[in-house]
Amino acid sequence: DTGVSQNPRHKITKRGQNVTFRCDPISEHNRLYWYRQTLGQGPEFLTYFQNEAQLEKSRLLSDRFSAERPKGSFSTLEIQRTEQGDSAMYLCASSLAHKLIGLGAYEQYFGPGTRLTVT
Amino acid sequence: DAKTTQPNSMESNEEEPVHLPCNHSTISGTDYIHWYRQLPSQGPEYVIHGLTSNVNNRMASLAIAEDRKSSTLILHRATLRDAAVYYCILRDGSGGSNYKLTFGKGTLLTVNP
């Protein structure tokens, strides 16, 4: 399977613990995105990387959240001191942004998500 | 990204065509119209996109109004596997914040056997 993969698929943690999620994008894709989705809502943008550079962070990404993409390959999203409000599905997506493709034209490919439950 | 408006839910019968509408009256000339869908317990999946002309691919067709203020996603023969939430999203083709997708609540499509 050459799609976007995410691990773990499910995570249950106690309030105050730290958690880390991993995303492996499609190998040739230079852009990687993190979104968060709560029940009944569409996904909300958190942050994105162009290669290894983190270029944008949403205001939703508090200082308890940190994301990295070392060497422009896989990415990790860490949440420190989890709170019950962090319970959500965390989605990763990747895309190939190329100057020959219209800026609004390229699609994003999503992984299956990591469902986080904070008790 | 400009705002889109979609019905909360729609219902269809298996093997019948489905027309999912989307209004985007504030669309700008450089906005692309994208459709994604999300099956239960899965991440969103790209369906189709267009700028001005109607588009067809193996999954669906996209009909864009002449004034571009509305569009319709057409599933030619709905199957049970098409039951999902369908999102209509505008993406700015001129730059700015086009890197991210801004999802609304979408349309929940139910397909009856």
Side-chain angles (χ1 to χ4, degrees), chain A residues 33 35 37 56 104 106 108, chain B residues 34 36 38 91 98-99 101:
Chain A
Y33 314 79
Y35 292 81
Q37 185 173 27
E56 180 68 22
Y106 54 86
Q108 295 183 12
Chain B
H34 283 247
Y36 282 73
Q38 188 170 21
R91 296 189 70 191
N98 68 76
Y99 50 84
L101 296 173

Side-chain angles (χ1 to χ4, degrees), chain B residues 14-53:
Chain B
E14 202 175 7
E15 298 192 4
E16 291 185 356
V18 182
H19 291 233
L20 296 163
C22 180
N23 288 319
H24 29 78
S25 58
T26 59
I27 190 171
S28 74
T30 56
D31 286 337
Y32 285 77
I33 302 160
H34 283 247
W35 284 81
Y36 282 73
R37 71 180 185 181
Q38 188 170 21
L39 279 64
S41 302
Q42 295 188 27
E45 173 187 32
Y46 167 80
V47 178
I48 199 167
H49 76 270
L51 183 60
T52 56
S53 303

Side-chain angles (χ1 to χ4, degrees), chain A:
Chain A
D1 190 338
T2 57
V4 177
S5 62
Q6 293 187 246
N7 288 288
R9 293 293 307 278
H10 303 272
K11 179 71 176 179
I12 300 174
T13 191
K14 293 186 176 180
R15 185 164 51 94
Q17 298 294 306
N18 299 343
V19 294
T20 300
F21 310 140
R22 177 179 170 124
C23 170
D24 287 273
I26 294 172
S27 59
E28 66 269 23
H29 283 186
N30 53 2
R31 285 193 174 179
L32 186 147
Y33 314 79
W34 285 98
Y35 292 81
R36 181 174 70 184
Q37 185 173 27
T38 54
L39 277 175
Q41 305 295 317
E44 295 175 290
F45 170 80
L46 291 178
T47 188
Y48 97 103
F49 294 82
Q50 171 103 2
N51 300 313
E52 66 275 7
Q54 187 174 19
L55 297 185
E56 180 68 22
K57 292 194 291 186
S58 163
R59 58 180 171 77
L60 293 175
L61 214 65
S62 76
D63 54 9
R64 295 186 297 107
F65 288 70
S66 62
E68 295 183 340
R69 192 184 182 197
K71 302 178 183 177
S73 56
F74 70 92
S75 175
T76 58
L77 178 68
E78 181 183 17
I79 308 174
Q80 295 182 327
R81 306 181 303 281
T82 52
E83 302 172 356
Q84 288 188 322
D86 296 332
S87 294
M89 175 76 84
Y90 289 84
L91 294 160
C92 175
S94 69
S95 68
L96 177 61
H98 191 281
K99 60 183 178 182
L100 295 181
I101 303 172
L103 287 174
Y106 54 86
E107 57 261 36
Q108 295 183 12
Y109 295 83
F110 284 79
T114 294
R115 181 166 294 285
L116 173 66
T117 302
V118 182
T119 61

